Amino acid sequence: MREKVRVLISEEEVEAKIREIAAVISHEYEGKSVHLVCVLKGGVFFTCELAKRITVPVSLDFMSVSSYGDDTKSSGVVKIVKDLDEPLEGKDVLVVEDIIDSGRTLSYLLENLKSRNPASLRLCTLLDKPERRVRPVKVDYCCFEIPDEFVVGYGLDYAQKYRNLPFVGAVELD
Ligand code: IMP
Ligand code: MG
């Protein structure tokens, strides 16, 4: 089966929105440092673009998680494949994700990170598919709400392909 990718959010639109969100974050964290926790692999492109535009001091750490279950239905049980290098105690932590879908991954992850006693814990996502939510997740910063379509690009993959596309595209199977 061959798939096509249709542009959903252009490179220019994504960049403009990231600038806007970075300005809001810079304002709200004024006088503090922000510790970005990037959720690999999908969050990596967004994290870099966002971090470059935040004007308060930034530190970075990375985490990789996978959900048990098949590819289309995650069970809600999340396995930490790569944990953070540093403790979160006392830090103003901002989790950076590519997309919130069912919310299962993030509701687990946020509980886990909260137990490490950060000074504050917030969530920033490039994309949100609110229609698909089965677990409530408080999203503090969201670049784009999108309809229930499978998307790729800007870090997001379809069978590990298309992460490097500089725009967000919808996958169409023919
Ligand atoms: P959740 O636990 O259902 O919220 O799963 C979120 C994860 O599923 C994301 O971090 C992505 O890795 C993946 N995902 C959800 N929707 C899409 C999509 O449209 N394209 C690519 N990956 C997706
Ligand atoms: Mg992800």
Side-chain angles (χ1 to χ4, degrees), residues 16-30:
K17 183 58 85 173
I18 292 177
R19 265 177 218 285
E20 210 179 292
I21 296 285
V24 173
I25 291 170
S26 302
H27 177 71
E28 292 187 2
Y29 285 81
E30 189 97 53

Side-chain angles (χ1 to χ4, degrees), residues 97-105 129 149-151 156-157:
E97 247 294 30
D98 51 358
I99 189 163
I100 320 287
D101 187 40
S102 71
R104 289 187 175 103
T105 311
K129 287 190 211 172
E149 280 193 274
F150 195 83
V151 291
L156 291 138
D157 74 303

Side-chain angles (χ1 to χ4, degrees), residues 101-141:
D101 187 40
S102 71
R104 289 187 175 103
T105 311
L106 259 292
S107 69
Y108 170 86
L109 196 61
L110 290 173
E111 279 309 307
N112 179 295
L113 299 180
K114 207 196 280 177
S115 72
R116 305 183 195 197
N117 299 317
S120 66
L121 181 63
R122 288 186 184 176
L123 171 63
C124 178
T125 188
L126 178 64
L127 305 169
D128 188 2
K129 287 190 211 172
E131 282 170 51
R132 301 256 307 164
R133 201 74 93 249
V134 299
R135 288 277 187 83
V137 172
K138 184 173 175 282
V139 181
D140 299 287
Y141 307 99

Side-chain angles (χ1 to χ4, degrees), residues 38-59:
C38 168
V39 185
L40 295 169
K41 302 171 185 166
V44 76
F45 288 73
F46 177 42
T47 302
C48 295
E49 294 308 308
L50 186 71
K52 280 171 12 186
R53 293 172 176 95
I54 293 175
T55 55
V56 299
V58 167
S59 52

